[in-house]
Structure formats: C-alpha cells, structure tokens
Amino acid sequence: MKQNKLMIAYGEPTDGFHHSVMNALYHLDDKRNVKYAKRRKCIRIAVAFAAVAAIGTTSVAAAATNCFGLFSQTVGKYGVEVTVDNNSTSSESYAERAKGVKIVAEYAPKGYEASGSYFSKSYRYDGEYYSDKWYYSMDVYEAKGYKQTEVNVIDTKETEFNGNKTIITTHKYSENSDKIYYCATEFFEDMGCVLQFRFASDAEGDSYSAPDYDEVIKIIEGTHLERTGDISYNSETGYTAKGAIAGYDTLEILSDSIDNKDYITVKPGEKTTVTVADKDGKEKTISVRIKFFKELEDKDNLSRDDFHNAGSSINLSDKYFDKDGKLIKTYTNTITDEAGDGIDSLGKTHEKTYNRHFYTADVEITANETIEDLNNILYLGAFGFKNGRLYMMDENDGEVNMIYSTAYYNSVKTEKDKPVTITVGLICDNDSVENARISLLTVNDKTKNSEVDLFELN
Amino acid sequence: MTKKKFTDLVLESEKTLYRVSMSMLKNESDCEDAVQTAILTAYEKLFDLKREEFFKTWLVRILINVCNKQLRFRSRHSEMTDDIGETSLGSEQIEVRQALDKLPPKIKQTVILYYIEQFSVKEIKQILKIPEGTVKSRLSKGRELLRLELS
C-alpha cells in the first residue's frame, strides 16, 4: 500500500475550509456568552418551580445557582427532549453509565422476575424473555450532561416521586396502531444520577396489552438508588453470534464480503474446499458439504425432542417454543409502511403473520490431518440471502436463523480421513427456505484474510 | 487547557479534519459547516477530554459524529449535493480518490484513518468505537480491494 499515493487523494484544505476553522476559533467565546444569558433565564424558572412545589430551599438554591435540574422541551410534533443541564448546547443525545451506584427496586408486580446488574435491570413476567406480558427495564446514568430526545411522544407529564422530579412520557408506536409504551426519567439530584425507566410490550395482535399504568407508578415509587463500590460499566461493541470466531464482527465480515462479491456459492450436495488457519496462522485445508437437509414434518407436534442428533446439551431459544416445548408455528410482526421520524411524524404500520418451518442439516467436514477446536476457527451461521444482501429478518419473507448447532457446546476436531459432522437447526418462515443459506466464514488471525462460502439448501 | 492551546491543537489537526470530513461528506460546503460545529462542540466539551495527548483522536471522533449526523439529515431530505471537487486535482489524485470512494463506507473510513491520517489501530478503535479485530479485518479487506482497484 503506497501511503503517499493515498495521502494526496484529498489534497490540501481549501481556503474556504481554513476560513471556517478560523471563524470557529475566533468565535469560541461567543458560545460562552450565549450560555451566560441562558443561565439567568434558568434562575427565574428554578425559582418559579420552588414557589409551586414548596421544596426545601437548599436544593432549589443549588439548582438556581448551577441551573441544574430536570427539564423537558418539546421538539417538533412528537419529540420531547429531556435534559438535566439546561445549559447544554450539545445537539447530540448523551448518557453515560453511572459508576458506584446501584438500583434498589423494592416493588415489582406479582409474577415478575428481575435480571440484569447493579446499574441496569429488566423485569419480565415469569422471567420469560418472549412472554406476551408487558415488561420493564431500568438504567441509571450520570446526571452531568444527560440529554435524551424521546420520540413518538403523545403525552408528557412532570411529577415527583420521593422528592425527585420525574418526567413521564407516553409513546405511540405508529399512527394507525393503538399500542403504547411509557418512559420515565427520574432525577436523583443528591446522587448526581438519572434513572431511566421503560415500560413496553412486544406482543402483537390480540396478545398485546398495554403496560398497567397503576403498576408503572408503583414501580417508580418503589425504586431508589444507593451508593456502592466502584462498579464501572464496560460495553463490548460489535455483533458476535454464538459459536462465532471470538473477537470478530462476523456479521460485518459476511456483509462486507457479500457487498464486494467476495464469496463462493455452493450448490446443494456439492462439496467445497475451505482454507482455515490455526491459532499460529498455519493454513490447513478442509472440505465441507451439506450431507443432509430436511424439513421436520408433523409440525403440529414438533418439539425440542424431535431434533435430529440434538442430544440433551442443546439449548434452544424460548422464542420458538412454548412452555410445553412445542414449536410456535405462527407469529405476528409489525411492518412499517411509512417511517416517521418520531419528532414530527409517527409513521404507519400494519401487522403480518408468519408461518414457521423448521429444518435440520448435517454439515460434514473432512480433512487430511488433525485440526483441533474447529468451532473456534470457523463460523457457521444461517441467513437469508436476497437481492445481494444478507438478512436475518425480512419483512416479506420472515426470519432465517440458525437456532442451534452441535458446535456451540462441543469441541469439533477433525482427524485424517475421518469426517466430522456438525448438526444445525434452522428456522425459516413461510417460503424463505429458498433464500436460506448456511454461511461458513473463516478468518486467518495473522493475515486477517477471510473466506466466505454460502451453501444453498433447496 | 487554555484557549490558546486549544487553538494551536485545532490548527495542527486542520489537514486531518479536512481529509476526514471530505471523505465522508464529499462536499466543500458541508465540510465547512461540519468542522465549525465540531470545533465549537469540542470547546464546550473540553472537560470530557481526560488527557491532552488524546486531543486529535477525540476531535476526530467528534467530527465523525457531526458528519454522520449531517449524512443522516441529508439522506432524510434527499439532498444530493455531492461535489467531488475534483476539478483542481491531478489525474492520479482523482484515480486514488475514486478508488477510495468505491470502498464500502466503513472500510473506507478505517483505511483513511490508518493510512492517510496515520492513526494507530488502538486510536482508530477509540475513534470508531469498534473492537481491535474489526479494525484489522477492515484494513486487510481495504488493502485487498484497493490493490485490485489501483493495479
């Protein structure tokens, strides 16, 4: 790569650009003057609030001096901007995870179970992720600089819980849907934190019921914050599927390969040769084919026990199976017909029903040498492939997804001339099996070269 | 940090700010708006900058956020204002720029930050908020694609 060649690609900054830089530097202090003017306005608002709410003078005086409090301001027709520092002129939403603070929830509706951490909790009925019942979550953030733009808002209410100013917003998903959800932002001034609540339901059609507003109030009332040890929040970015090559954004690599037409298509029954690299970067050759592919029939009674070669170690998602372990054959999704921006428009939606089909496949791998831990060297996934792009969920064709693989929980090893089989299970909705592909991705950790093979199934 | 120090550091970064914004926005006028917003935002948020030696990385991150916001606004309002501004460039520059423009956006951004702006993998990881492995795989892919395009 000739660096000099690249560096000249955009040339030197133009006079206009330089002038813009100088202009900004010249006016740096102008922004500060604007902020000072706002501060005076804030004092008047804070004093008025004190007169109405009759709160103790100390916190109000502090708020008046620092112009620090919880503020809401409408944006467009359906937007509400919630901020703590009314001096903030930042145009971006901003929320930083709070450190050294934990959420203490003393009330939960009957049947709801908690999961999460000190600073982020969610509650679901019976602890079930895919329940039809509404669910709620809480997250705590630093108050300093906090700014969020709530969208799709149809009602805003300012109130107080336990002396903490709280803004509750009611939201609608779209113009032609009756489904609503609630958000609440509570300001814990003494802790320098903001607690954000969300109450929603993912259920569709007749199964949907709005979050119970009386319970919403009880939940907010029954939640407070406490100081704790220095627990810091650390987030991993990027998408990594189960069983994927650790440290790589596998979906991104696959998508990039598709965009750049850098992949191989393998027809049903055909074999392909793939290069894999072990942890030392040494390249080895394997051949791969789909040996067996079948739709499991008798879907009326299909259950976890029916999976081909699944064994007891397989953990299948509750999303696809009901409490009795039977496959959920149909489900409903909300499709957006017209997107709203949530500020000036809500958008339009309709509901669509999908029929689930379950397929199982055996992926046979042959090598002429021993290769250990193959499941950490290659990534097997399932996606839809249509119009030159990969998808897991398409609004017309529904979902294509790999929902289990024997490689998730068992180490896969090849030996000379001794094929090894990985059994996988796929969900394909409606007719989407024609678009379904089992994807095979390998990445050489030393050279960063990747190979993508897409196996057609039908 | 004093205002003078801030000014000096911004001027030192001017070329980087120009190249990064042009690679994303491809329009002189939009770049001028974006850099002004980024500089003013950076000055307001100076308290966020923990160490002075990270100033350039931090300022580029702010600029990328501003550019992304402008691109989203542009796509929402269907403004097609791409002005490649190639008239004043030599043929080699045009060739290289066109090759860069053909890269998928995320790979292009990473290639520019690494090979043109000479940020390290670690710095790019902080600017773009992606894992180190992803930075490396994008660079590898970018190299391959540019090699094909420019050969």
Side-chain angles (χ1 to χ4, degrees):
Chain A
M1 175 75 69
K2 289 189 179 162
Q3 196 155 355
N4 289 341
K5 204 170 182 176
L6 285 174
M7 287 177 88
I8 61 165
Y10 293 97
E12 294 292 307
T14 58
D15 287 343
F17 188 86
H18 178 72
H19 178 76
S20 296
V21 169
M22 297 307 296
N23 198 35
L25 291 171
Y26 183 75
H27 286 105
L28 287 176
D29 283 336
D30 290 357
K31 271 278 185 179
R32 295 249 166 121
N33 288 336
V34 170
K35 282 173 72 172
Y36 179 76
K38 276 194 176 181
R39 189 172 305 211
R40 278 190 262 165
K41 186 178 169 191
C42 267
I43 290 173
R44 287 198 289 275
I45 291 170
V47 168
F49 176 72
V52 168
I55 294 174
T57 54
T58 310
S59 60
V60 169
T65 305
N66 299 329
C67 198
F68 213 57
L70 194 65
F71 302 95
S72 68
Q73 183 180 323
T74 53
V75 179
K77 198 173 169 190
Y78 297 106
V80 171
E81 192 176 81
V82 178
T83 58
V84 171
D85 181 356
N86 207 28
N87 277 334
S88 171
T89 54
S90 167
S91 55
E92 298 274 335
S93 286
Y94 179 84
E96 187 179 326
R97 289 284 183 186
K99 296 182 178 64
V101 175
K102 70 175 181 182
I103 300 170
V104 179
E106 291 172 351
Y107 174 80
K110 192 175 175 185
Y112 279 74
E113 294 176 13
S115 63
S117 61
Y118 284 117
F119 40 76
S120 177
K121 287 187 180 302
S122 70
Y123 285 78
R124 293 184 180 267
Y125 187 76
D126 263 358
E128 286 212 22
Y129 195 82
Y130 294 108
S131 167
D132 283 342
K133 300 265 191 190
W134 60 275
Y135 62 91
Y136 63 100
S137 61
M138 313 166 184
D139 293 85
V140 61
Y141 298 97
E142 293 289 337
K144 188 179 178 189
Y146 179 89
K147 181 170 182 164
Q148 291 290 295
T149 301
E150 299 287 352
V151 296
N152 298 350
V153 179
I154 55 172
D155 185 61
T156 304
K157 186 176 171 183
E158 289 192 4
T159 183
E160 250 186 52
F161 289 92
N162 306 312
N164 300 322
K165 189 171 172 193
T166 306
I167 293 168
I168 301 178
T169 44
T170 304
H171 306 247
K172 202 172 171 197
Y173 283 98
S174 69
E175 263 184 37
N176 51 332
S177 164
D178 292 329
K179 288 175 61 173
I180 60 168
Y181 61 98
Y182 303 106
C183 294
T185 308
E186 185 177 356
F187 177 40
F188 289 77
E189 188 172 1
D190 54 336
M191 308 279 281
C193 292
V194 164
L195 183 57
Q196 203 182 69
F197 297 84
R198 180 182 162 91
F199 306 87
S201 169
D202 289 336
E204 303 274 356
D206 294 337
S207 305
Y208 166 81
S209 60
D212 185 325
Y213 193 76
D214 291 337
E215 294 285 16
V216 165
I217 298 302
K218 285 184 194 170
I219 289 163
I220 301 174
E221 265 175 354
T223 308
H224 65 271
L225 302 178
E226 281 179 6
R227 289 269 171 226
T228 183
D230 184 21
I231 299 163
S232 58
Y233 178 74
N234 200 357
S235 66
E236 288 291 315
T237 56
Y239 169 87
T240 308
K242 236 178 177 177
I245 307 156
Y248 287 97
D249 190 336
T250 50
L251 183 57
E252 181 174 11
I253 298 175
L254 283 163
S255 297
D256 284 348
S257 295
I258 301 303
D259 287 344
N260 297 313
K261 298 186 173 37
D262 186 15
Y263 63 92
I264 292 168
T265 299
V266 187
K267 296 290 180 192
E270 283 182 358
K271 197 183 277 194
T272 187
T273 303
V274 178
T275 305
V276 296
D278 63 19
K279 57 180 175 13
D280 299 319
K282 195 176 164 195
E283 291 187 342
K284 302 179 181 191
T285 303
I286 60 173
S287 64
V288 185
R289 69 179 178 122
I290 306 293
K291 188 174 78 172
F292 174 86
F293 179 73
K294 179 186 166 180
E295 177 173 4
L296 284 185
E297 293 166 3
D298 195 16
K299 293 190 291 296
D300 286 344
N301 293 311
L302 186 62
S303 71
R304 286 189 173 89
D305 296 332
D306 293 314
F307 298 136
H308 171 66
N309 280 349
S312 58
S313 63
I314 300 305
N315 182 23
L316 293 161
S317 172
D318 289 337
K319 177 180 170 185
Y320 305 106
F321 296 91
D322 63 21
K323 278 187 183 173
D324 300 320
K326 302 293 181 193
L327 179 70
I328 300 170
K329 292 176 300 172
T330 63
Y331 69 99
T332 307
N333 246 357
T334 302
I335 306 294
T336 301
D337 298 311
E338 198 178 296
D341 62 6
I343 303 292
D344 294 309
S345 59
L346 287 181
K348 292 188 167 70
T349 60
H350 74 273
E351 291 188 346
K352 182 166 175 140
T353 300
Y354 300 88
N355 298 311
R356 259 193 198 114
H357 297 248
F358 182 81
Y359 298 85
T360 185
D362 280 347
V363 180
E364 184 185 75
I365 300 172
T366 311
N368 59 4
E369 58 185 306
T370 299
I371 307 174
E372 306 271 356
D373 288 331
L374 203 59
N375 42 329
N376 286 326
I377 297 173
L378 56 81
Y379 164 72
L380 264 183
F383 298 94
F385 182 64
K386 191 169 83 165
N387 298 329
R389 65 174 182 92
L390 285 181
Y391 68 88
M392 287 178 77
M393 176 66 201
D394 179 271
E395 64 177 51
N396 289 316
D397 296 332
E399 186 178 9
V400 177
N401 197 5
M402 182 173 287
I403 64 168
Y404 87 93
S405 163
T406 52
Y408 286 170
Y409 300 102
N410 306 297
S411 182
V412 178
K413 171 181 151 180
T414 64
E415 290 175 17
K416 186 175 161 57
D417 298 326
K418 198 173 164 186
V420 66
T421 299
I422 299 174
T423 301
V424 301
L426 284 71
I427 286 281
C428 300
D429 290 339
N430 299 341
D431 296 323
S432 59
V433 70
E434 287 186 1
N435 300 333
R437 303 287 185 274
I438 286 179
S439 61
L440 181 67
L441 166 67
T442 65
V443 180
N444 185 323
D445 205 34
K446 297 288 178 191
T447 65
K448 307 306 166 199
N449 288 328
S450 61
E451 270 187 52
V452 172
D453 294 73
L454 297 183
F455 292 84
E456 290 181 2
L457 298 169
N458 203 19
Chain B
M1 183 188 291
T2 63
K3 182 179 165 186
K4 182 175 181 327
K5 182 70 180 174
F6 177 85
T7 301
D8 290 343
L9 289 173
V10 167
L11 289 172
E12 276 175 26
S13 309
E14 186 177 334
K15 286 184 185 176
T16 298
L17 299 178
Y18 178 71
R19 292 190 287 240
V20 168
S21 58
M22 271 300 284
S23 69
M24 292 180 73
L25 300 175
K26 301 184 197 175
N27 176 289
E28 295 280 354
S29 170
D30 287 349
C31 290
E32 289 164 16
D33 287 342
V35 76
Q36 286 207 46
T37 304
I39 291 170
L40 293 170
T41 303
Y43 192 61
E44 285 162 33
K45 286 188 172 175
L46 256 184
F47 57 84
D48 269 351
L49 178 63
K50 303 287 182 281
R51 285 158 64 172
E52 218 169 88
E53 58 259 46
F54 297 145
F55 180 86
K56 194 174 174 184
T57 312
W58 175 74
L59 181 59
V60 168
R61 191 168 77 217
I62 292 174
L63 177 65
I64 287 176
N65 286 342
V66 170
C67 289
N68 278 331
K69 197 168 179 200
Q70 241 168 291
L71 285 168
R72 282 195 294 272
F73 178 84
R74 199 199 272 178
S75 70
R76 213 184 286 157
H77 292 80
S78 301
E79 281 176 31
M80 299 296 289
T81 54
D82 281 8
D83 160 21
I84 311 290
E86 290 178 348
T87 48
S88 60
L89 300 178
S91 59
E92 196 182 22
Q93 281 174 303
I94 294 172
E95 183 197 359
V96 172
R97 190 190 279 194
Q98 286 178 345
L100 282 167
D101 285 344
K102 282 182 183 170
L103 296 177
K106 288 182 182 176
I107 292 180
K108 175 183 166 184
Q109 196 174 56
T110 312
V111 162
I112 284 172
L113 289 173
Y114 187 81
Y115 288 107
I116 299 182
E117 303 310 328
Q118 300 193 56
F119 285 109
S120 67
V121 168
K122 215 167 186 172
E123 285 171 325
I124 296 172
K125 169 185 159 180
Q126 284 163 2
I127 291 171
L128 299 179
K129 302 207 185 228
I130 54 176
E132 202 164 300
T134 305
V135 175
K136 290 176 183 173
S137 70
R138 285 186 192 177
L139 287 174
S140 172
K141 192 49 88 174
R143 271 198 298 275
E144 283 300 314
L145 292 170
L146 278 174
R147 200 167 287 139
L148 285 168
E149 197 58 43
L150 293 171
S151 62

